[in-house]
Every structure is written in C-alpha cells, then in structure tokens.
Amino acid sequence: MENIQDYLRPWQLGPMVAVLGAWLFGGGYLLAARYARFKEQRHIQYPKGVIAAMLAAIGGMVGGGILFLITYYIGASSNADLRIVAVAPGAIGAFFTACLVLFAFYDMPFMTALRIGAVPLLIGGCVTAAVCIAIFVPMRGVVTEIRNREFAKQQIQVIDMVLRNSPTPPQTLEEVVAQGNIGPEVVQLYARKDKAIGFFYFPGLPVERSVPTTRLRACEFSHKYNQKSRVVLFANGESRSMATSEFEALLNDPVNAEFKSKFSAADWR
C-alpha cells in the first residue's frame, strides 16, 4: 500500500491553506452567528468564533484521524485495503469530536452544540472533501506510474538473474514460474495485477554483462501507466527505464526485428 507521502506535492499547499483559511474565517463567522442567535446576543463575537473554528478543526482532525487509522490498520493486518471504507468512520469521528470541542468551548448542552455546529461543520466538511478529491485523486495515476516503474526495474533484474542461471534458456516466463524458479509476484506488474504475466520475454542466449548491446531480451507489456516510459531488459543484463520514443527506436533497430515482431503480436494493446 502507498503512504500518504506518495500523494503529497508542493503545489497542493496552496489549496489546502485556502481551505484552512475559509474554515477559520468563514466557519468561524457561521459558528459565532449561530451561537449569538442561540444566546440572543445583539453582537456577534467573531474572534471567539474563529478560535472555536480552529479548535474544532484540530479536534476533528485528531478524532477523525484516529478512527481512520484504526480502520485502515485493521484492514492492513488482514491484507485488505480499507482506505475508502475508513473515510466513513473518520468523517463521523471528526464531526462528533468537533462538536465535543464546541460543547466544551461554549459551555453549552451537547445537543445544542450539535445544532449550532452541524451546518458550519457539514459545509466545511463538504468543501474540504471536494478540495481533497480535486488535489489527491488525480495523484493516484501518478503514484501508480512511479511505483510500477520502481518495482518493474527490480523485478526485471530478478528475472534476468534467474534466466542467466537457467541451464537452457526457457521459452516463456510462464515456464519459469511453473518450474518454481521464480515467484508469480515477480512477473506481475504493480499497475496490472489482474494479469499473471506483465513482461514480454524473448528467449535467446544472454550476452556477457561487459559487452555493450542494443538487443532486447524483455520489456513491460503496454498499459496506460507506462505510456511515457518503458522498463526494458537488454541481452547483457542491463535494465533501465527509458522514454517511449527511445523504446520505439530500439524496436526499429534491425537487431530487434524478431523481438519487435513477437512483441507486437503478444502485446496487450
């Protein structure tokens, strides 16, 4: 599973600060106005509302974060990804914790705190959720692309090591897995776990590692997360990620004519 750090980028700071400011000043005004109406006050105590909004936000993040992490780690302990499911208890926990903060801050009955805080908290929660979706959901593809490239480079090196230690070059990667020489997860791409074999392999004798060559021995199959770059394995054991244009040029190299023919026939696209 990815860490939250994988989704963070410097440009996201601007929208997050804007949401925080909107909650502190807009949410603070709503809280102060609703409290003044409840107390039948002539003047809205705006600074007090801003402080209440700040404390409610802190309390909500702590309470919601705890419930989110508890749900997340329960799933992680059983290899289940409950990040989406964990949003529900996290949101409920954040709402009620924020109301508890208002209950203590304004010294009022808890049900009154619920009535006063419901509208500002729901508006703030919806705005925050919309901004988070806008800035974090598009990062899913970026994270998947980066992770797939990182893992594919490691996997293809393991594949090369196993192939070099084989007495005779195997004809397919399926054969290597069936013989127990390599685990099935090594030939499965991070971005396409629905496919048992994520790499195209061209059988042939390897070249000594010290010998420069452009002859390809294996590469990723095509998928939407490697449209900009491709992880490849050369016959001398060199493995690297290269731009799609460079990969296409290698395919058109006469030394890779047979590789290109069989790869084009077997590719997922």
Side-chain angles (χ1 to χ4, degrees):
M1 296 182 186
E2 303 92 352
N3 297 316
I4 185 64
Q5 293 89 340
D6 296 328
Y7 289 83
L8 297 179
R9 297 295 184 276
W11 64 266
Q12 296 166 339
L13 183 61
M16 293 171 70
V17 170
V19 169
L20 178 60
W23 166 246
L24 288 180
F25 298 106
Y29 177 81
L30 286 176
L31 286 173
R34 291 173 68 81
Y35 180 73
R37 192 179 305 121
F38 164 71
K39 285 290 188 178
E40 298 182 350
Q41 295 174 337
R42 296 182 59 184
H43 301 290
I44 296 174
Q45 298 178 341
Y46 182 55
K48 191 174 181 179
V50 172
I51 296 173
M54 178 181 66
L55 294 176
I58 294 172
M61 285 189 290
V62 172
I66 290 173
L67 284 180
F68 177 89
L69 290 175
I70 289 174
T71 308
Y72 171 81
Y73 284 114
I74 288 174
S77 65
S78 57
N79 294 322
D81 189 352
L82 297 183
R83 281 171 297 184
I84 302 299
V85 176
V87 170
I92 294 172
F95 176 78
F96 280 100
T97 306
C99 287
L100 281 173
V101 171
L102 297 178
F103 157 72
F105 182 79
Y106 281 117
D107 190 19
M108 64 176 69
F110 182 70
M111 293 307 297
T112 303
L114 279 177
R115 289 197 298 271
I116 288 177
V119 172
L121 290 173
L122 289 175
I123 292 175
C126 290
V127 171
T128 302
V131 172
C132 287
I133 290 172
I135 65 177
F136 288 118
V137 169
M139 292 303 300
R140 175 64 180 172
V142 176
V143 171
T144 300
E145 180 181 343
I146 293 172
R147 281 298 182 90
N148 184 79
R149 183 167 59 246
E150 291 174 347
F151 288 139
K153 285 191 289 187
Q154 298 172 17
Q155 290 169 288
I156 213 164
Q157 290 170 357
V158 175
I159 290 171
D160 175 67
M161 180 182 67
V162 172
L163 294 176
R164 285 179 178 272
N165 290 332
S166 300
T168 56
Q171 293 302 302
T172 64
L173 291 181
E174 288 88 346
E175 178 184 330
V176 179
V177 174
Q179 291 173 350
N181 296 326
I182 202 169
E185 69 281 356
V186 177
V187 295
Q188 187 180 54
L189 288 174
Y190 176 85
R192 291 300 306 270
K193 293 182 179 179
D194 58 315
K195 299 284 189 178
I197 304 294
F199 297 90
F200 172 75
Y201 159 67
F202 182 72
L205 293 174
V207 175
E208 291 294 329
R209 294 187 184 276
S210 59
V211 178
T213 182
T214 58
R215 183 157 64 86
L216 293 170
R217 198 176 192 198
C219 69
E220 291 179 85
F221 281 120
S222 302
H223 54 88
K224 68 177 182 179
Y225 294 109
N226 69 354
Q227 294 179 355
K228 297 179 182 178
S229 63
R230 186 78 57 119
V231 173
V232 304
L233 174 68
F234 292 93
N236 63 357
E238 178 189 359
S239 60
R240 58 188 173 96
S241 174
M242 61 177 58
T244 300
S245 57
E246 186 180 356
F247 175 67
E248 295 290 343
L250 275 173
L251 288 179
N252 292 323
D253 187 326
V255 74
N256 291 317
E258 192 174 359
F259 181 99
K260 178 181 179 180
S261 175
K262 293 187 177 182
F263 170 70
S264 299
D267 199 12
W268 292 338
R269 290 193 301 201

